[in-house]
């Protein structure tokens, strides 16, 4: 606080010292030979300056103190009890700016909530005709119906991504930790992608003990597994190879590791650092033209919010391993 005060008034002090020095020089060149009187005049000038600085310091002390200390909240920045004109005027200006900022933020928050409500309602409305299409296509083994069924699966996966992305902003309100059996969770996720496996000529392999339990949110874990399995199928399509989902305890028994391993085209080394960036499709995404660049980003955000870890390893032409780490 004191440093700020002296830094602000240093120009005034230098100006007053220069003014007194100029006055003394004028009298000296004019032949004035009463040094005691001149010194007394200088003393009076410095005393008046010191009095002004003391008055300024005590009337603006709270103001300088507020400027010198970091604030912990926006509300704290508009609290003031200064009586001096300049601090009071500045505090009034900041209070008005804060009020306008609050109005803008409240309006933005209202629009954001309306957008989320609209997106949730739209997704649910789209799922109704999609369910009808799936019921119709399941009743016939016609190849055309199979193609329609496969496309409806793609639409459903896209709708689920939109729905979960909109819920991500209110994650804490939709989060419930409970014991979850990894074997059953993975089997369910594989079953939901069975048509995708068959159409892509890729085969699932689940190697997880039935008694392996982790503490997590079952619904969000389902979303993560569906995304990872869908990616592994997409980038292994037509290979005729397996996608292996395995889980095991770490050597120190403090963690459970779940791995989704594919033998597909792999990820180019240049893309590895950016695979979790939003909307980044990379070289593979541009080739296949099906990637949105949001899948792994959403997976990472969900995993981070659930206090788990995600790791990814890949070699071009060899495949990709995505590893989820659950603390015990």
């Amino acid at each position: 606080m004191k440093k700020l005060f002296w830094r602000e008034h240093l120009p005034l002090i230098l100006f007053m010292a220069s003014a007194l020095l100029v006055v003394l020089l004028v009298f000296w060149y004019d032949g004035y030979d009463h040094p005691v009187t001149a010194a007394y005049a200088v003393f009076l000038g410095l005393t008046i300056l010191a009095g002004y600085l003391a008055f300024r310091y005590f009337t603006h002390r709270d103001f300088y103190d507020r400027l010198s200390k970091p604030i912990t909240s926006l509300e704290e920045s508009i609290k003031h009890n200064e009586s001096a004109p300049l601090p009071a005027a500045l505090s009034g200006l900041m209070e008005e700016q804060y009020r306008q900022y609050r109005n803008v933020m409240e309006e933005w928050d209202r629009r954001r909530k309306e957008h989320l409500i609209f997106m949730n309602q739209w997704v649910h409305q789209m799922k109704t005709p999609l369910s009808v299409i799936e019921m119709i296509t399941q009743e016939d083994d016609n190849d055309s119906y199979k193609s329609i069924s496969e496309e409806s699966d793609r639409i459903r996966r896209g709708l689920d991504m939109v729905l979960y992305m909109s819920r991500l902003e209110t994650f804490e309100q939709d989060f419930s930790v409970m014991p979850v059996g990894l074997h059953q969770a993975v089997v369910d996720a594989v079953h939901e992608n069975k048509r995708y496996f068959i159409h892509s000529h890729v085969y699932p392999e689940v190697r997880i003990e039935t008694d392996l339990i982790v503490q997590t949110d079952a619904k969000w874990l389902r979303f993560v597994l569906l995304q990872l399995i869908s990616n592994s199928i997409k980038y292994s399509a037509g290979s005729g190879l397996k996608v292996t989902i395995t889980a095991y305890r770490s050597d120190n028994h403090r963690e459970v590791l779940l791995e989704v391993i594919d033998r597909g085209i792999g990820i180019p080394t240049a893309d590895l650092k950016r695979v979790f960036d939003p909307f980044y499709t990379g070289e593979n995404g541009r080739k296949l033209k099906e990637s949105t660049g949001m899948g792994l980003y959403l997976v990472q955000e969900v995993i981070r919010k659930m206090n788990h870890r995600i790791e990814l390893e890949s070699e071009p032409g060899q495949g990709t391993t995505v590893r989820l780490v659950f603390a015990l």
Side-chain angles (χ1 to χ4, degrees):
M1 177 179 68
K2 292 181 179 180
K3 289 182 179 180
L4 181 60
F5 174 81
W6 289 116
R7 281 166 53 194
E8 183 190 11
H9 291 89
L10 182 60
L12 175 63
I13 295 171
L14 294 175
F15 172 78
M16 289 298 298
S18 301
L20 292 173
L21 180 60
V22 169
V23 170
L24 288 177
L25 289 175
V26 169
F27 279 104
W28 183 67
Y29 280 119
D30 195 44
Y32 187 76
D33 56 354
H34 294 83
V36 176
T37 304
Y40 182 67
V42 172
F43 172 75
L44 287 177
L46 293 176
T47 301
I48 294 173
L49 176 62
Y52 169 77
L53 293 176
F55 171 79
R56 179 84 176 181
Y57 176 78
F58 284 107
T59 56
H60 293 67
R61 180 171 50 187
D62 292 338
F63 178 64
Y64 288 115
D65 184 60
R66 189 151 60 98
L67 292 178
S68 301
K69 293 181 179 179
I71 61 174
T72 56
S73 65
L74 287 174
E75 287 79 3
E76 186 180 341
S77 67
I78 63 173
K79 293 179 180 178
H80 64 89
N81 55 1
E82 298 93 348
S83 57
L86 181 60
L90 182 59
S91 295
L93 177 62
M94 292 179 65
E95 187 172 352
E96 178 61 27
Q97 287 181 336
Y98 174 72
R99 187 160 43 247
Q100 293 184 13
Y101 167 77
R102 284 288 300 271
N103 292 338
V104 172
M105 291 302 296
E106 288 173 0
E107 176 64 18
W108 180 86
D109 188 57
R110 183 186 63 80
R111 293 183 179 181
R112 181 183 62 83
K113 290 179 179 178
E114 289 179 352
H115 177 72
L116 291 178
I117 292 172
F118 168 77
M119 290 301 297
N120 287 331
Q121 292 178 344
W122 179 82
V123 169
H124 287 298
Q125 288 175 356
M126 291 300 102
K127 284 188 173 183
T128 301
L130 192 62
S131 298
V132 175
I133 294 173
E134 290 175 345
M135 290 178 61
I136 295 173
T137 55
Q138 287 174 359
E139 296 175 357
D140 199 313
D141 292 333
N142 187 288
D143 290 340
S144 299
Y145 278 10
K146 288 182 179 179
S147 298
I148 294 173
S149 180
E150 291 163 3
E151 294 303 316
S152 68
D153 285 343
R154 289 179 57 190
I155 295 173
R156 183 173 291 278
R157 288 195 296 271
L159 291 174
D160 283 339
M161 180 180 291
V162 172
L163 186 61
Y164 278 97
M165 186 174 180
S166 66
R167 290 176 177 174
L168 197 60
E169 295 189 26
T170 57
F171 182 87
E172 290 74 13
Q173 303 173 15
D174 193 28
F175 178 61
S176 177
V177 177
M178 62 183 67
V180 176
L182 285 183
H183 181 270
Q184 189 60 47
V186 169
V187 168
D188 291 343
V190 169
H191 181 73
E192 288 192 45
N193 282 282
K194 63 179 180 180
R195 282 201 294 261
Y196 199 13
F197 273 110
I198 296 171
H199 171 71
S200 302
H201 302 287
V202 180
Y203 307 99
E205 180 185 27
V206 179
R207 297 188 303 188
I208 303 175
E209 298 177 7
T210 56
D211 62 343
L212 202 54
I213 305 295
V214 296
Q215 296 291 330
T216 188
D217 184 287
K219 180 175 61 179
W220 286 103
L221 178 62
R222 169 186 170 274
F223 168 75
V224 169
L225 290 174
L226 289 176
Q227 287 297 316
L228 296 181
I229 292 174
S230 175
N231 278 357
S232 65
I233 298 172
K234 181 193 305 181
Y235 296 111
S236 304
S239 65
L241 300 174
K242 294 180 179 179
V243 169
T244 302
I245 304 101
T246 181
Y248 53 91
R249 293 179 180 86
S250 62
D251 295 336
N252 58 14
H253 294 277
R254 294 182 179 178
E255 296 174 331
V256 170
L257 293 82
L258 186 149
E259 295 180 341
V260 179
I261 307 167
D262 69 60
R263 285 88 176 172
I265 59 178
I267 301 173
T269 305
D271 291 341
L272 281 175
K273 293 182 179 180
R274 300 185 61 188
V275 291
F276 293 111
D277 292 350
F279 303 108
Y280 184 74
T281 58
E283 183 179 327
N284 291 339
R286 289 188 288 272
K287 287 180 180 178
L288 298 180
K289 299 180 181 180
E290 292 185 6
S291 177
T292 62
M294 291 300 294
L296 285 178
Y297 164 73
L298 291 175
V299 166
Q300 184 190 45
E301 287 297 299
V302 170
I303 290 297
R304 179 181 62 82
K305 288 179 179 290
M306 293 196 296
N307 290 323
H308 306 320
R309 295 202 323 271
I310 183 169
E311 301 170 355
L312 186 146
E313 301 170 0
S314 185
E315 291 187 23
Q318 301 296 318
T320 301
T321 298
V322 181
R323 183 178 302 109
L324 305 180
V325 183
F326 305 86
L328 292 177

